[in-house]
Amino acid sequence: MTGSAPEDGAAPATAVPLEVLTDEELHVLHGGVPTVVVEPHLAALADGPREWSLRTAYRGLLARGLLEPPTGAAPTDPDGSGTADARVREDVHAVVTLRAAPDAVLCAARTTSLGQDFWYAHVVADVVLVEQVDAGGLHHFAVAPADDLPDLLTAATVHPEATDGTGPALAVGDPAAPERATTDLLARAELRTDLVLRTPGDTEPMLTGLFTGPDGAWLLTARPGTDDPLTAVPVTRADLLGHLHKLAARALSARANRPAGEDAR
């Protein structure tokens, strides 16, 4: 999802598609330095297949012309550290640079009856790098003006046919074994989104759960390390969009607040 239909009828926000890269290719391009983004395929590999996969990814980057090693350089180390002095194609270098040091990152895990994928918005100055990761470890990138972030976030995290939620707020209790009434209610949602905003210095970010679909919309919020009860609250579509737009505004405000030398990882 890279675009949305704003409530006021204005032209939808659209992100321009860029490269598609794999878990392994990104691991090599980042020199083995971890990021906040999941690596679903690479994480499932044992050490032996992982090393083979990284070496194969390096060869694939060379074959596709995305990476050019220094003249006479040996193959990269399995952790990707051998790419430090390599030349990366300009468009891919831009993706890696934006991804490596964001001012803020909005991270979403999206679950439907068909499976799960992951969506990220890396905010860097006046642009946002959108990254969608499927279960097979393919990372689809796109770029858009940072001012489009509220609409992009809405399109990525809310079911397009979501309606107003109704009924009482329900205490979830133990998240590992919630009350039956709560599970029955939330099962009516066709899209579940677990959302977190990562900003520099925020070690316990607020967690947000969205449950949306034609039967309504419900919102959960929780901050790690607190004893606050976890409650599913029915919300109107308008209130839900307002919550997301405020979250996007916090991400954009981090551009001016980042301490020197820190990023959102």
Side-chain angles (χ1 to χ4, degrees):
M1 299 181 187
T2 57
S4 67
E7 296 294 305
D8 59 7
T14 303
V16 178
L18 299 174
E19 191 62 65
V20 178
L21 298 164
T22 67
D23 284 353
E24 308 95 294
E25 290 171 337
L26 285 164
H27 191 91
V28 170
L29 288 167
H30 280 280
V33 177
T35 70
V36 298
V37 180
V38 297
E39 297 176 335
H41 174 70
L42 196 57
L45 298 179
D47 288 346
R50 177 186 175 91
E51 179 178 341
W52 175 85
S53 183
L54 289 172
R55 290 189 180 277
T56 301
Y58 176 76
R59 289 169 54 83
L61 289 169
L62 295 177
R64 293 165 61 191
L66 304 184
L67 187 67
E68 180 182 340
T71 302
T76 185
D77 296 330
D79 65 358
S81 60
T83 62
D85 297 321
R87 179 184 301 172
V88 182
R89 198 177 73 186
E90 185 174 351
D91 58 332
V92 176
H93 182 266
V95 167
V96 173
T97 300
L98 292 172
R99 196 174 183 260
D103 298 307
V105 186
L106 280 161
C107 314
R110 307 183 297 191
T111 306
T112 70
S113 60
L114 300 177
Q116 185 179 58
D117 71 356
F118 305 88
W119 183 91
Y120 300 86
H122 308 267
V123 179
V124 186
D126 58 351
V127 301
V128 56
L129 178 69
V130 177
E131 180 175 359
Q132 185 172 331
V133 189
D134 64 28
L138 290 178
H139 299 243
H140 301 257
F141 291 96
V143 67
D147 289 344
D148 287 346
L149 180 59
D151 291 335
L152 293 169
L153 178 62
T154 298
T157 60
V158 178
H159 192 282
E161 299 177 7
T163 60
D164 295 348
T166 59
L170 294 176
V172 174
D174 180 3
E179 297 294 330
R180 176 63 181 271
T182 302
T183 57
D184 288 347
L185 175 68
L186 300 182
R188 292 159 49 191
E190 295 187 8
L191 173 62
R192 169 183 172 177
T193 304
D194 299 306
L195 180 63
V196 63
L197 169 62
R198 298 296 305 273
T199 57
D202 189 354
T203 57
E204 295 184 343
M206 180 72 74
L207 306 177
T208 300
L210 311 178
F211 296 79
T212 59
D215 286 342
W218 293 267
L219 175 68
L220 292 84
T221 58
R223 183 174 292 278
T226 70
D227 295 326
D228 296 339
L230 190 59
T231 304
V233 180
V235 292
T236 65
R237 179 180 174 87
D239 286 345
L240 182 60
L241 298 189
H243 177 87
L244 292 173
H245 283 211
K246 289 179 180 177
L247 196 59
R250 284 182 54 205
L252 295 175
S253 69
R255 295 176 295 179
N257 298 331
R258 183 170 74 172
E262 288 191 17
D263 58 47
R265 292 176 295 165

